[in-house]
Amino acid sequence: MKAPHSILMVSPDYYDIVDEKNIHMSGQSDKVNLEIAKKQWHDLHDIYLQLTIEKVLNRVNVIEGIPGCEDMVFAANQSIPFIDSSGNRKVIISRMKHSSRQREIPAFEAYYSSCGYELIYPPQGIVVEGMGDLLSVPGADIWLAGYGQRTQYEALEWLKDILPGEMIPIALNNPYFYHLDTCMIPVNKHTLLYCREAFDISGINRISQIFEHLVAIPIEEARDGFALNAHLVVGENRNVAVIQKGNDQTISAMKDLNIDVIQTDTSEFMRSGGSVFCMKMMVYE
Ligand code: ARG
């Protein structure tokens, strides 16, 4: 599977917390400081720009946020870009669980159409939430696919015939870990960082069949610090993780795995249930 090397972000101008789509958002609706949020977004954007200068990434693209689309800044959810077996760029357009997030979709359709992707739509009524629930394993033709809280199991049955590579479904039932990108980071085909409490025994068994080296991250860092929502950027000669600051045990586990770590602050976005991984999409430019 060819990995994408460019970033797509959505500008944070209309970011807000309006309703409670996940448990992290509970009691947060009047707490967002938009000025701080914008600064944190720009800091992350600058980190990605620096990684393009260092040739770890190719480009950073930005879609403008839209009034009334308060969650649109979480660019990980609206799409699944991929390259098919003949080398064509395609994208699965998500169907979001919440109707307010479905309003974000046309802007992504426009972006991918303008880049020349072929757009593919899920069957009627089936919820798919993009890369929030679909993680590729670097160096292996494997997708780890979360289901049960946002993306539906039926969606994975449909997706497995479209996406190249093997699909491993993993049930999510702990409300703090509502998307798969909140509770695991596949580092390579041998190693997975994960939070034990996010999974039931069947999930743990699935994970253990694939990865021989499981690194357990404490729930305090995964749940409260969004440590496993770090973004592992796999470059040609270097792996770099961009992570919410202060997750000391996760950071030291990453360093042990030879990953360069960049810490940043996404606290205003964590109020909405997302951190670094949620705030970008990896695209084929
Ligand atoms: N408030 C957003 C929601 O509940 C957060 C999305 C976070 N994205 C992610 N990939 N985990 O939909």
Side-chain angles (χ1 to χ4, degrees):
M1 260 154 32
K2 189 172 172 290
H5 283 109
S6 290
I7 297 274
L8 178 64
M9 295 177 80
V10 175
S11 67
D13 312 79
Y14 304 101
Y15 170 60
D16 200 359
I17 297 179
V18 174
D19 55 0
E20 190 182 318
K21 300 182 182 76
N22 65 65
I23 199 165
H24 301 276
M25 300 172 90
S26 174
Q28 297 292 336
S29 54
D30 49 0
K31 301 235 171 78
V32 171
N33 182 320
L34 187 57
E35 289 318 305
I36 298 177
K38 284 185 189 169
K39 183 189 178 301
Q40 292 178 346
W41 185 93
H42 282 283
D43 288 347
L44 180 59
H45 185 255
D46 286 349
I47 289 169
Y48 285 136
L49 284 181
Q50 179 59 31
L51 290 175
T52 66
I53 292 167
E54 294 174 21
K55 306 243 179 292
V56 181
L57 289 168
N58 284 350
R59 279 172 65 117
V60 182
N61 305 315
V62 176
I63 296 180
E64 292 300 312
I66 296 173
C69 290
E70 71 277 1
D71 277 298
M72 191 173 166
V73 69
F74 298 110
N77 302 131
Q78 302 85 349
S79 61
I80 302 171
F82 68 101
I83 305 249
D84 75 5
S85 50
S86 318
N88 302 313
R89 286 187 306 175
K90 297 187 171 175
V91 60
I92 291 160
I93 300 294
S94 297
R95 181 169 302 109
M96 308 299 286
K97 176 171 175 176
H98 299 91
S99 53
S100 59
R101 293 213 63 186
Q102 190 63 20
R103 295 199 293 265
E104 303 166 9
I105 294 293
F108 287 82
E109 292 173 318
Y111 168 80
Y112 286 110
S113 298
S114 73
C115 298
Y117 281 74
E118 180 185 328
L119 277 52
I120 302 173
Y121 290 88
Q124 206 52 43
I126 288 193
V127 173
V128 181
E129 290 213 351
M131 307 306 285
D133 276 321
L134 203 62
L135 305 177
S136 68
V137 179
D141 286 343
I142 296 177
W143 297 98
L144 304 170
Y147 68 91
Q149 299 195 52
R150 297 293 184 87
T151 301
Q152 296 169 331
Y153 186 77
E154 294 77 355
L156 305 186
E157 301 212 298
W158 172 73
L159 279 170
K160 76 172 177 351
D161 294 331
I162 296 180
L163 293 173
E166 188 187 352
M167 167 108 36
I168 311 292
I170 302 171
L172 295 173
N173 27 45
N174 182 330
Y176 287 97
F177 304 105
Y178 62 97
H179 273 144
L180 192 64
D181 69 5
T182 60
C183 49
M184 61 163 66
I185 301 175
V187 177
N188 53 45
K189 58 184 166 195
H190 309 291
T191 307
L192 180 78
L193 303 174
Y194 80 119
C195 177
R196 173 75 188 78
E197 290 83 351
F199 305 100
D200 62 17
I201 189 70
S202 74
I204 297 294
N205 287 342
R206 287 243 157 106
I207 293 166
S208 320
Q209 279 160 10
I210 305 212
F211 299 95
E212 66 212 43
H213 185 205
L214 294 179
V215 182
I217 296 301
I219 186 165
E220 293 73 20
E221 291 198 0
R223 181 192 57 205
D224 309 333
F226 283 84
L228 293 169
N229 199 251
H231 178 199
L232 177 65
V233 185
V234 179
E236 288 208 343
N237 316 308
R238 226 176 119 203
N239 284 351
V240 182
V242 189
I243 186 171
Q244 169 60 32
K245 68 175 191 181
N247 286 303
D248 297 340
Q249 295 190 55
T250 309
I251 289 166
S252 115
M254 287 171 162
K255 289 184 174 160
D256 289 345
L257 292 166
N258 227 343
I259 298 170
D260 293 346
V261 177
I262 301 172
Q263 299 190 53
T264 193
D265 193 1
T266 60
S267 58
E268 290 302 316
F269 299 95
M270 286 159 57
R271 297 182 188 283
S272 190
S275 180
V276 179
F277 191 94
C278 304
M279 294 169 68
K280 60 85 198 79
M281 173 60 64
M282 295 299 295
V283 291
Y284 306 90
E285 61 199 82

